[in-house]
Amino acid sequence: MNRSMKPHFNNGRPDAGPRDWYKVRNEAKDAAEILIYDEIGRGWFGGGVPADEFVADVKALKLGAGDELRLRINSPGGDLFDGNTIYNYLRSQPFGVSVHIDGVAASAASIIAMAGDTVSMPENSFLMIHNPWMMVAGDAKTMRKVADDLDVLREGAVSTYMSRVGGTLSRDEVITMLDDETWLGAADAVSYGFADQVDEPVKAAALLRFDLQEYGMQHLPDRLKAEQERAMSRNNDLREGLKAKAL
């Protein structure tokens, strides 16, 4: 028997239980804001931002030509199909889309970020691109087919990125960046064309909502890795303190 899972851009192991980090704000008649501070797609253990819910929420805002949707992202990525669906939906709409990467737009979240007419990043935020992957069990024929399928899916991702950076990078250069799991700070993202503007830095806490190493990301920048380790240590100390008080 062959088993496969939908292609992801990470191997996430999120915290169990529901999360409320996905928020929709209808701020004015002609503008709205959506915060994606979660995985893309339905999380393995709850939470997540599935494409069907996202599209329904945006439709409910009733934005039209001349209106603006501000999309704020801090996400480790997730399901590629959900990311593609959200990207394609946003690109097909008559309203403007401004993307703000508040912490991390990694993996499938970086696909969504490319939907912005403008993309801004604080100095200490990151964008990460890499190849899609898939968990699968089966015989050699199945494995070869899955490898071919992943190549097709990567081509779709390359096309999405090239729609923004085609004037700066070649297709082969983008493929190399995917192969290498490339992390870009704000200045580099702007220089390559993935983003348009560098903003003032945000508090480090905005970057630390997720333990990115548990999402299978192997090449975290040293600064981000150090911040993550400090945050995880503080969280562990807090948990131990709460346990001690409960005894």
Side-chain angles (χ1 to χ4, degrees):
M1 181 176 67
N2 299 326
R3 292 187 59 208
S4 63
M5 296 184 67
K6 291 192 294 183
H8 279 240
F9 268 110
N10 62 45
N11 62 343
R13 292 191 293 155
D15 294 334
R19 289 164 287 176
D20 62 354
W21 304 330
Y22 169 60
K23 298 179 181 179
V24 180
R25 301 170 176 168
N26 199 343
E27 296 188 323
K29 184 178 180 180
D30 59 353
E33 183 173 79
I34 293 182
L35 279 67
I36 300 180
Y37 279 22
D38 207 338
E39 289 182 78
I40 308 304
R42 287 182 171 82
W44 289 10
F45 303 101
V49 182
D52 56 347
E53 292 182 12
F54 179 92
V55 170
D57 288 338
V58 174
K59 285 183 176 180
L61 295 171
K62 300 186 183 303
L63 298 174
D67 297 339
E68 180 187 9
L69 175 65
R70 291 190 288 273
L71 184 61
R72 312 194 75 95
I73 299 175
N74 185 30
S75 172
D79 188 277
L80 172 56
F81 290 137
D82 284 81
N84 280 338
T85 300
I86 292 172
Y87 168 84
N88 288 328
Y89 174 74
L90 291 175
R91 292 304 300 163
S92 70
Q93 298 307 299
F95 50 78
V97 178
S98 59
V99 170
H100 307 268
I101 299 175
D102 289 336
V104 173
S107 217
S110 70
I111 293 285
I112 295 173
M114 299 299 99
D117 299 308
T118 60
V119 179
S120 64
M121 298 177 62
E123 288 180 8
N124 59 341
S125 65
F126 293 92
L127 182 138
M128 187 276 278
I129 65 173
H130 65 169
N131 287 322
W133 67 267
M134 185 183 296
M135 290 198 311
V136 63
D139 59 16
K141 181 179 179 180
T142 299
M143 297 299 184
R144 293 187 187 99
K145 183 180 185 305
V146 168
D148 291 339
D149 291 343
L150 287 172
D151 285 341
V152 172
L153 294 169
R154 182 177 70 173
E155 284 302 308
V158 171
S159 295
T160 297
Y161 296 127
M162 287 297 293
S163 69
R164 268 202 146 263
V165 304
T168 306
L169 298 172
S170 70
R171 177 181 175 278
D172 287 344
E173 287 172 325
V174 171
I175 288 175
T176 297
M177 295 174 81
L178 292 173
D179 288 341
D180 292 343
E181 183 191 299
T182 300
W183 289 82
L184 298 171
D188 285 339
V190 169
S191 69
Y192 288 128
F194 290 99
D196 303 295
Q197 177 178 317
V198 179
D199 293 334
E200 292 297 315
V202 297
K203 292 182 179 179
L207 303 173
L208 304 175
R209 187 176 294 277
F210 306 96
D211 184 351
L212 294 170
Q213 293 183 81
E214 290 199 356
Y215 283 77
M217 299 174 187
Q218 303 300 316
H219 305 292
L220 295 181
D222 290 340
R223 176 166 61 86
L224 183 55
K225 185 183 297 185
E227 290 175 352
Q228 290 256 292
E229 289 173 351
R230 286 193 294 270
M232 295 305 110
S233 177
R234 288 194 297 270
N235 288 344
N236 289 335
D237 291 343
L238 178 60
R239 291 191 190 98
E240 292 302 318
L242 292 173
K243 287 180 182 178
K245 289 182 179 179
L247 295 178

